Amino acid sequence: MPPRGGGPRGPMGGGFLTEEEKANRPKVTWPLLKRVFRYLLPYWKQMFLVLCAIVLSSVLGLLPSVLTGRIIDEGLIGRNLDMLIKLILLSLGVTLGSNLIGVGENYLNNWIAQHITYDMRNQMYRHLQKMSQKFFTSNNQGDVITRMTSDISGVERVITSTFTSILSNSITLAAAVVIMFRQNWILALVGAAIVPLFVIPTRLAGKKRWELTKESQECNDEINGILNETLSVSGQLLVKLFCKEEQEYEKYKSVNHRMIRLNIRESMAGRWFWVVISTFSSVGPMLLYLVGGILMIQYDSSLTVGDVTVLVTLLGRMYGPVNMLLNMQVEWIRSMALFTRIFEYYDMPVEIQNSPDAIHPARADGNVEFCNVNFSYSEERQILKNVNFKLNSGHSIAIVGPSGSGKSTIINLIPRLYDVSSGEVKFDGTDVRKLDLTFLRDNIGIVSQETYLFNGTIRENLLYAKPDATENELIEACKKANIYDFIEKQELGLDAVVGNRGLKLSGGEKQRISIARVLLKDPALLIFDEATSSLDSISESKIQEAIDPIIESRTSILIAHRLSTILAADEILVVKDGEIVERGVHSDLVKAGGTYTELYETQFRRALEA
Ligand code: ATP
């Protein structure tokens, strides 16, 4: 049966569930269905049109089969040429009409699917944007992108293929059954009894073939694995040096042999499959002709040749929908699994969000206060323990401490990348959780260790902080960040491309651009996470020259690894194992003989001498 525009459609994938799919079978509940249909609701008018089109094209699609009966009885047997031509033209017209409706339905269907996926993608993106830092650090980035791309594209397929296929196949089947019973109930019953005879072997053969395909795919993977391992540059060297050529060859030969056996079995399963199908598809009509003939000749003189032909043709049209509807169960489960996965993401709570009565002060001064702050990323380990400190507007604090002591964690709490487990972080005297998030983040500028630049020009990266900055403001910021000399030397100046993630620039250049970016933002509080990675001494001194005057004039917190930065700050906090163990100024701390002295001896002084 050739596929038609608006008629029954085929399944989209294999008709059987894998073990993994069986294990993760979604629970199809009423709330889940309601939720899926809520996405369809805004398009109910278009959906209604699609439904009408499907009903119309499915029913019209069956009409030529019914007309065949009249062509035979009234046109051929009745020897009526006028009627014959009329019926043939009608049949052709109906087929054309059904196909044209199919085209319209297809367009509408795609339109709906595209709009629904557009809505879902936007909703997902908006939701992901609101997710906390914790979400991004604990989830695999690939998973997030898969949800955004292939899972939501899967929805498109579900709407254009699965939903409409279920509808159109059910309608075709129902209409075929009704017409058959109206035509002759005895023959209709015989036809209905034949359908399973055809469907069951088809499914059994299909399953066998599917299993063989799966097995041969595994075998193929194994072959590829062997090739990759033993014919790669280092792999072949290992094989040679350990004289394992024979052993590897035997291994390869045996898998290769298994592969050919599987391929032969697979293609033979295909043969048997067709033998079964063609046998049963001829047995069905023959049986109907036999029973129809007996009825016509011996019992029911009103039954015509045309009636029997109609029944045989309709029987042929039932096989496809029955088979597809059986596969549809699998498609249905897959579709629901897809929606369940997407909804799981939608349902992830937004941990950090504006409180309903968030405060939006008129201006910010940049005062920061930590009051008895405790924090842990996970239940197992407490990271910050009872952290207390105060930074007044116009002053600067340097945080020092061994790697992993919790310095970055402290600063992450200020713009609410994470929320405290207990205690309070205050910005200008108000708990950050009570402040408007946009206000808070607008007034904090962070130059992080891992500088992130978008793929684009230097200008575009700078304008990200202040889209309406004038040329002069850009140049001024670059001069202050000590990067203007470098920009001037570029052929395209500010329009030089930084490359993907800023890869065309050195670490020091990237950091100075990000300092310029933060200066353009002109925040009330500046946080600078000094890079631990070794920069050459020229880059380092350029960064130093840039930040020293900034520290002087701005409220700032610096995670410092270099003595010059530390010395520029008004107060030093020494963090160890998540606690502030010492605080004060350099001259006092260095004499105290504690953690700071140790850090000074091992890190700062050595860096100074180098
Ligand atoms: P460094 O100087 O090396 O940057 P740091 O003092 O800034 O170190 P933090 O990054 O604050 O240290 O990390 C403190 C502790 O918290 C470390 O033990 C780290 O392993 C852990 N940690 C950091 N980020 C996370 C996270 N997202 N999830 C779980 N644990 C984390």
Side-chain angles (χ1 to χ4, degrees):
M1 181 177 51
R4 298 175 311 108
R9 267 148 282 233
M12 57 200 189
F16 304 94
L17 292 175
T18 61
E19 293 306 318
E20 199 186 335
E21 283 172 324
K22 274 186 205 161
N24 298 322
R25 217 183 172 119
K27 271 205 197 86
V28 181
T29 56
W30 186 231
L32 173 68
L33 289 179
K34 265 204 326 216
R35 204 166 169 187
V36 170
F37 281 102
R38 218 172 293 144
Y39 284 95
L40 312 182
L41 212 60
Y43 306 104
W44 73 268
K45 284 184 207 143
Q46 290 85 351
M47 306 267 312
F48 181 71
L49 273 180
V50 169
L51 183 71
C52 293
I54 290 178
V55 173
L56 212 64
S57 76
S58 304
V59 175
L60 282 184
L62 287 177
L63 261 186
S65 312
V66 178
L67 288 175
T68 312
R70 291 187 58 195
I71 289 175
I72 294 173
D73 287 341
E74 295 170 31
L76 299 176
I77 299 177
R79 293 177 180 270
N80 183 340
L81 193 58
D82 273 356
M83 186 54 99
L84 182 68
I85 293 171
K86 254 194 229 159
L87 287 170
I88 288 175
L89 287 178
L90 182 64
S91 179
L92 288 176
V94 164
T95 310
L96 183 69
S98 155
N99 285 339
L100 286 179
I101 293 171
V103 174
E105 181 238 307
N106 222 299
Y107 167 77
L108 259 183
N109 219 341
N110 271 299
W111 187 93
I112 297 169
Q114 290 300 337
H115 280 76
I116 290 172
T117 47
Y118 167 83
D119 295 342
M120 292 186 92
R121 272 202 194 104
N122 287 346
Q123 188 186 353
M124 179 78 100
Y125 190 81
R126 205 83 190 99
H127 186 66
L128 288 177
Q129 273 188 324
K130 288 187 201 144
M131 295 311 283
S132 65
Q133 187 75 359
K134 188 170 172 186
F135 168 83
F136 290 100
T137 48
S138 49
N139 274 283
N140 183 344
Q141 198 184 357
D143 272 359
V144 179
I145 293 176
T146 309
R147 285 295 165 278
M148 274 300 291
T149 53
S150 51
D151 278 0
I152 297 191
S153 304
V155 169
E156 185 187 316
R157 208 179 50 209
V158 167
I159 295 163
T160 52
S161 166
T162 312
F163 282 179
T164 43
S165 198
I166 292 177
L167 261 178
S168 76
N169 283 312
S170 312
I171 293 168
T172 306
L173 194 64
V177 170
V178 170
I179 301 171
M180 279 173 84
F181 273 91
R182 285 196 53 176
Q183 208 81 15
N184 186 294
W185 68 270
I186 301 176
L187 288 182
L189 277 181
V190 175
I194 293 167
V195 170
L197 284 184
F198 167 81
V199 170
I200 293 167
T202 308
R203 283 190 69 75
L204 288 178
K207 179 146 199 190
K208 183 81 208 147
R209 193 156 184 217
W210 181 76
E211 279 166 4
L212 284 170
T213 310
K214 223 170 56 169
E215 215 177 314
S216 83
Q217 259 166 16
E218 280 162 16
C219 197
N220 208 11
D221 289 346
E222 204 176 327
I223 289 185
N224 285 341
I226 294 178
L227 293 180
N228 276 331
E229 264 178 27
T230 58
L231 296 184
S232 65
V233 177
S234 37
Q236 59 85 30
L237 194 65
L238 190 76
V239 173
K240 277 200 182 92
L241 293 178
F242 283 87
C243 305
K244 296 283 184 195
E245 284 93 341
E246 277 312 304
Q247 189 181 326
E248 292 299 341
Y249 174 63
E250 287 304 323
K251 202 160 104 189
Y252 178 74
K253 208 166 75 173
S254 113
V255 185
N256 207 2
H257 191 235
R258 187 149 68 90
M259 185 77 193
I260 59 158
R261 280 206 323 263
L262 276 172
N263 282 347
I264 294 172
R265 275 176 65 201
E266 196 184 332
S267 54
M268 282 324 283
R271 280 274 124 240
W272 292 125
F273 178 74
W274 282 112
V275 168
V276 170
I277 291 181
S278 50
T279 310
F280 279 98
S281 49
S282 8
V283 166
M286 291 309 140
L287 215 70
L288 272 193
Y289 281 131
L290 179 66
V291 179
I294 295 172
L295 282 177
M296 247 170 76
I297 297 162
Q298 295 195 342
Y299 301 99
D300 185 358
S301 58
S302 66
L303 192 67
T304 64
V305 178
D307 292 338
V308 178
T309 318
V310 170
L311 280 153
V312 171
T313 330
L314 286 177
L315 182 73
R317 306 245 11 204
M318 278 171 73
Y319 292 149
V322 168
N323 222 350
M324 284 168 196
L325 282 173
L326 287 173
N327 283 338
M328 275 305 136
Q329 187 218 357
V330 169
E331 293 311 320
W332 177 253
I333 291 172
R334 281 195 188 132
S335 310
M336 288 302 129
L338 201 68
F339 278 110
T340 312
R341 273 206 306 270
I342 294 172
F343 292 159
E344 263 171 24
Y345 259 61
Y346 284 165
D347 291 341
M348 280 184 189
V350 176
E351 290 174 55
I352 292 179
Q353 53 187 332
N354 257 345
S355 74
D357 47 357
I359 305 167
H360 195 305
R363 57 184 281 268
D365 294 325
N367 299 294
V368 176
E369 190 176 357
F370 272 56
C371 308
N372 305 322
V373 169
N374 290 299
F375 176 80
S376 51
Y377 288 105
S378 58
E379 304 223 322
E380 299 97 62
R381 203 172 117 216
Q382 190 175 351
I383 304 289
L384 297 184
K385 295 157 207 158
N386 201 28
V387 173
N388 286 288
F389 71 88
K390 193 168 179 189
L391 167 69
N392 288 325
S393 175
H395 289 79
S396 55
I397 279 183
I399 304 178
V400 299
S403 176
S405 56
K407 304 182 291 292
S408 307
T409 308
I410 291 178
I411 59 162
N412 284 344
L413 299 179
I414 307 173
R416 286 190 76 196
L417 294 181
Y418 295 90
D419 273 341
V420 295
S421 310
S422 70
E424 269 184 319
V425 174
K426 291 182 181 168
F427 187 77
D428 284 348
T430 312
D431 188 324
V432 286
R433 285 167 295 185
K434 292 189 185 135
L435 281 174
D436 179 74
L437 257 184
T438 317
F439 163 81
L440 180 71
R441 291 179 182 166
D442 258 352
N443 285 294
I444 299 174
I446 300 189
V447 179
S448 57
Q449 250 185 52
E450 291 290 324
T451 315
Y452 192 91
L453 297 180
F454 288 108
N455 187 9
T457 61
I458 297 177
R459 183 191 301 279
E460 283 163 351
N461 272 287
L462 293 176
L463 289 179
Y464 198 71
K466 189 176 181 198
D468 56 354
T470 62
E471 188 77 13
N472 271 346
E473 282 175 311
L474 293 181
I475 295 173
E476 202 51 39
C478 292
K479 280 186 179 158
K480 279 191 188 154
N482 219 0
I483 186 72
Y484 195 62
D485 289 352
F486 167 80
I487 293 174
E488 266 191 322
K489 277 190 217 131
Q490 302 299 305
E491 204 179 316
L492 294 172
L494 277 170
D495 294 310
V497 175
V498 301
N500 199 5
R501 304 187 66 178
L503 288 179
K504 286 186 184 163
L505 303 172
S506 77
E509 287 152 4
K510 272 198 296 186
Q511 193 146 46
R512 280 180 285 148
I513 291 179
S514 78
I515 293 174
R517 186 166 60 181
V518 141
L519 288 177
L520 275 170
K521 188 178 173 187
D522 193 22
L525 171 69
L526 188 98
I527 297 172
F528 188 80
D529 193 349
E530 198 169 50
T532 37
S533 54
S534 53
L535 292 173
D536 63 68
S537 52
I538 298 176
S539 309
E540 216 171 85
S541 66
K542 281 194 170 149
I543 291 178
Q544 209 57 58
E545 278 168 35
I547 62 165
D548 280 354
I550 298 171
I551 302 170
E552 287 288 312
S553 59
R554 284 175 171 273
T555 319
S556 43
I557 299 182
L558 311 122
I559 296 185
H561 299 285
R562 282 172 259 283
L563 192 58
S564 50
T565 321
I566 299 168
L567 291 176
D570 297 316
E571 191 187 7
I572 302 165
L573 303 181
V574 185
V575 183
K576 191 179 177 191
D577 294 332
E579 277 178 286
I580 298 183
V581 287
E582 290 164 37
R583 63 179 82 202
V585 290
H586 173 76
S587 51
D588 295 341
L589 288 173
V590 85
K591 281 185 243 149
T595 312
Y596 187 81
T597 318
E598 206 177 300
L599 283 169
Y600 175 71
E601 294 293 340
T602 53
Q603 276 187 27
F604 312 144
R605 200 160 70 171
R606 200 175 305 154
L608 204 63
E609 283 161 2

